[in-house]
Amino acid sequence: VIGVVIGKTDVRGFPDRKNIGSERYTFSFTIRDSPTYFINVNSWGREEYIRSLSESFRVGDCVTIENPLVQTKEAEREEKFNPVTPSCYKLLLSENHSVVKTCSTYEMDTKLLSLLHLPVKDPQDYYSLGDIVANGQSLNGRILNVLAAVMSVS
């Protein structure tokens, strides 16, 4: 699978239920290879492997993923912690079988880079800040998608 990384989480550690007293580490990222399709990628393993893998690329990089495990995602559980994707699958990376390589600049397709700036939600599924201000009472308690731009950071 070749795609551009459009999102990435931080590395987290959790107690390993199988080996009491030790920890397993994880992080996830989302890749996109077309305007319509993007998928979440999860990786679990030893701290050294996960930290090294996480540090090997960043959002905006083009990556090639070899030998991932394709799994059906559990929509309710998965989408609490990862972006909602149009696929009913996710990719799982294994330390022993999977490889993630960063594409060099000359290998990168400009079409992939242009995907970095496309919204991942349906354009009809957003509220503007003006809509929220005008209709705040009727929207109270609802979860909304907001489309806004950052003008400055200070």
Side-chain angles (χ1 to χ4, degrees), residues 2 19-20 22 26 30 65 81 88-89 97 105 121 125 141 146:
I2 299 173
N19 298 315
I20 305 302
S22 63
T26 185
T30 305
I65 301 173
F81 306 106
C88 57
Y89 301 101
H97 302 289
T105 310
K121 291 282 190 176
D125 192 24
V146 178

Side-chain angles (χ1 to χ4, degrees), residues 90-101:
K90 64 180 178 179
L91 302 179
L92 184 63
L93 300 181
S94 156
E95 182 172 2
N96 296 326
H97 302 289
S98 307
V99 177
V100 177
K101 298 177 188 172

Side-chain angles (χ1 to χ4, degrees), residues 5 7-8 27-31 39-41 57 63 65 93 100:
V5 178
K8 185 176 162 189
F27 87 102
S28 60
F29 58 100
T30 305
I31 62 167
I39 194 165
N40 291 320
V41 183
F57 62 89
V63 295
I65 301 173
L93 300 181
V100 177

Side-chain angles (χ1 to χ4, degrees), residues 106-118:
Y106 71 89
E107 292 176 303
M108 210 176 310
D109 189 341
T110 53
K111 288 182 215 153
L112 282 178
L113 280 180
S114 68
L115 300 174
L116 190 59
H117 304 291
L118 291 178

Side-chain angles (χ1 to χ4, degrees), residues 16-109:
D16 189 339
R17 291 182 293 205
K18 293 179 185 169
N19 298 315
I20 305 302
S22 63
E23 280 191 300
R24 289 184 72 206
Y25 286 78
T26 185
F27 87 102
S28 60
F29 58 100
T30 305
I31 62 167
R32 185 176 214 164
D33 68 356
S34 74
T36 310
Y37 295 105
F38 47 98
I39 194 165
N40 291 320
V41 183
N42 298 317
S43 185
W44 287 86
R46 297 175 306 112
E47 181 177 13
E48 302 79 29
Y49 166 70
I50 295 298
R51 288 201 187 279
S52 172
L53 182 58
S54 176
E55 292 168 3
S56 70
F57 62 89
R58 60 181 193 259
V59 171
D61 285 349
C62 177
V63 295
T64 301
I65 301 173
E66 297 175 2
N67 297 322
L69 178 63
V70 178
Q71 291 185 322
T72 304
K73 71 180 178 185
E74 300 165 42
E76 279 186 32
R77 198 175 127 240
E78 306 269 345
E79 293 175 351
K80 279 185 187 176
F81 306 106
N82 293 304
V84 176
T85 63
S87 172
C88 57
Y89 301 101
K90 64 180 178 179
L91 302 179
L92 184 63
L93 300 181
S94 156
E95 182 172 2
N96 296 326
H97 302 289
S98 307
V99 177
V100 177
K101 298 177 188 172
T102 305
C103 303
S104 64
T105 310
Y106 71 89
E107 292 176 303
M108 210 176 310
D109 189 341

Side-chain angles (χ1 to χ4, degrees), residues 121-122 124-128 132 142-148:
K121 291 282 190 176
D122 177 353
Q124 307 305 315
D125 192 24
Y126 288 108
Y127 283 84
S128 70
I132 293 169
R142 291 186 51 204
I143 296 174
L144 307 173
N145 294 316
V146 178
L147 179 60

